[in-house]
Amino acid sequence: MNLSRQPPSAALVLQTLLTQGPLTRAELGRRAGLSSGAVTKVSAPLLDDGWLTELGPSGDRQPGRPATLVGVRPERARFIGIKITSDELIGMLVDLTAAPLTTHRTPLRSRDVGTVVRAVARLVGTLSGPAGKGKGESGPAVHSIGVTVSGDVDGLSGTVRYSPFLDWHGVRLAALVEEATGIPAVIDNDVRALTVAEQWFGAGVGLSSFALVTVGAGVGCGMSVEGRVISGAYGVSGELGHLPVGSGDRVCTCGNTGCVEAVASTQAIVDQVQEQTGDADLSLADAVRLARAGDATARAVFTRAGRALGLGIASVANLIGPERIIISGEGVAAYDLFADEIRRAFTDRAFGAAARCELVVRPLPFETWARGGAAMAAHRLFAPLPGRSAGATGH
């Protein structure tokens, strides 16, 4: 069965069971907004082809014949997710439910595109070894690969338009990974992929809308509205780091000034503390240590960063009215130094009831980001990109 040729209701059934299942057919229909007849019609071929499975009685004490639970069959397909950072690849092999099967990290010796693609291929080979194959299977057991990169990424064409931390421009990464591995690949912005992970199995499960703000080498934002992660008409969305929130003279990676990222990214914080102290060898850990020890200069830098983040987060709340905003990324290790100023700026600038939005701090390791790439690949299996079949390799 080619899932990409199934009706949209099939994708809806699969997605509902992936994020909320197992469920009875009646409950599945209620949550997916489908009639009982539509659920039966859609689920029958999915059951026949092994994508879904019946798991036995639901356990509800109802008169008459007990309802049967239906769930996704995890072993039906496997996927690999890879997060590319400036100095490392983090990979994860998952099943159809995005449950982790194995993980692996490998250092990057160079940011050269060819070097990175070859390293990705080696990592795919490591992850799709014996753990990625079932008994009697031939050929690659991995259905597809989801690769995530920071920056301006066009998932539709499979192109990294611009990644400042890798210094890549116009790299047709999906095609290169497919050529190097022989496995279909999709790519996307790493924060959007992490948002998919939070939507499927994290702090966004069951919410009609939420946003994810990441603070690290950059400042990113993923947004899920009515169950859909926003990609934008041109593949650009949620660029919270490049929202102008001040008139400072610090130049951002995008070339502009006044951006959230120019004062609140981890590198910007390090740069500012180095400038203020005159210590060019000072690290982020050093800056955090100074601030926690009460150093006024370091604390002022974190206060400015917290205000910029709070203003940006308030803008997200005002724009999309999410139920929850999740704050993550490497920078949350020092969240205690941001927290008061973030909350103060957020409360001051969130309009009306938007101030009721819940802020949740959630440290997530890079393995979870890689898992988001795998979940993204799984999602594209039954909701392929326009103009591409689920198993297409052309771009």
Side-chain angles (χ1 to χ4, degrees):
M1 176 196 292
N2 188 333
L3 289 181
S4 67
R5 295 176 183 170
Q6 296 304 301
S9 53
L12 186 57
V13 163
L14 266 170
Q15 191 166 12
T16 302
L17 288 174
L18 280 165
T19 58
Q20 303 174 48
L23 301 167
T24 64
R25 286 174 173 82
E27 184 61 23
L28 173 58
R30 281 192 290 272
R31 298 194 189 191
L34 298 173
S35 68
S36 58
V39 169
T40 299
K41 182 177 180 180
V42 166
S43 60
L46 294 174
L47 284 161
D48 290 343
D49 203 43
W51 294 101
L52 303 182
T53 185
E54 292 185 332
L55 301 170
S58 68
D60 291 341
R61 296 182 178 275
Q62 299 290 339
R65 185 177 177 180
T68 299
L69 287 170
V70 178
V72 172
R73 185 166 166 256
E75 64 273 22
R76 182 62 175 80
R78 288 176 177 172
F79 307 87
I80 285 175
I82 295 175
K83 174 174 169 57
I84 302 177
T85 74
S86 60
D87 58 6
E88 188 179 27
L89 299 179
I90 302 93
M92 178 178 286
L93 175 73
V94 307
D95 64 20
L96 182 55
T97 64
L101 300 175
T102 186
T103 62
H104 192 76
R105 287 184 176 227
T106 186
L108 280 179
R109 308 299 182 191
S110 166
R111 299 173 192 174
D112 169 73
V113 173
T115 301
V116 173
V117 170
R118 287 190 292 273
V120 166
R122 288 193 296 271
L123 180 55
V124 168
T126 298
L127 291 168
S128 60
K133 295 182 181 294
K135 291 181 179 179
E137 291 181 338
S138 60
V142 174
H143 183 278
S144 54
I145 304 164
V147 183
T148 71
V149 184
S150 66
D152 180 357
V153 181
D154 181 6
L156 181 60
S157 68
T159 303
V160 179
R161 292 198 189 102
Y162 175 50
S163 180
F165 305 113
L166 293 169
D167 194 26
W168 286 2
H169 300 263
V171 175
R172 296 177 66 81
L173 184 61
L176 292 172
V177 169
E178 289 178 352
E179 182 179 356
T181 64
I183 302 173
V186 296
I187 69 166
D188 212 330
N189 172 271
D190 55 355
V191 178
R192 276 201 296 271
L194 184 61
T195 306
V196 171
E198 289 297 275
Q199 180 187 55
W200 277 31
F201 43 77
V205 171
L207 300 181
S208 64
S209 63
F210 73 93
L212 169 72
V213 173
T214 58
V215 184
V219 176
C221 179
M223 299 174 290
S224 174
V225 179
E226 300 300 329
R228 190 179 186 89
V229 176
I230 297 172
S231 295
Y234 305 101
V236 178
S237 64
E239 289 296 340
L240 176 64
H242 304 296
L243 188 72
V245 294
S247 57
D249 58 359
R250 296 193 59 78
V251 178
C252 182
T253 55
C254 68
N256 293 317
T257 59
C259 297
V260 173
E261 193 169 295
V263 295
S265 70
T266 52
Q267 188 58 55
I269 288 170
V270 171
D271 290 345
Q272 291 171 85
V273 179
Q274 285 180 345
E275 291 164 7
Q276 295 293 324
T277 61
D279 183 356
D281 296 324
L282 181 139
S283 67
L284 179 61
D286 294 330
V288 170
R289 177 180 50 78
L290 284 173
R292 286 179 176 158
D295 182 271
T297 298
R299 289 194 70 87
V301 170
F302 280 97
T303 296
R304 285 194 296 272
R307 177 164 178 75
L309 288 169
L311 293 174
I313 291 169
S315 297
V316 173
N318 291 340
L319 284 169
I320 67 170
E323 295 178 61
R324 177 179 295 163
I325 295 178
I326 304 159
I327 305 171
S328 190
E330 311 99 287
V332 301
Y335 190 75
D336 56 301
L337 299 171
F338 299 119
D340 290 346
E341 199 59 35
I342 286 178
R343 174 56 69 179
R344 187 177 297 114
F346 175 79
T347 302
D348 287 346
R349 295 300 179 93
F351 178 74
R356 293 162 53 189
C357 172
E358 181 186 19
L359 301 185
V360 175
V361 180
R362 184 167 154 80
L364 295 169
F366 277 153
E367 281 77 8
T368 303
W369 295 60
R371 191 180 179 193
M376 177 185 69
H379 177 73
R380 298 279 171 82
L381 169 67
F382 54 85
L385 294 167
R388 297 184 68 191
S389 67
T393 57
H395 297 268

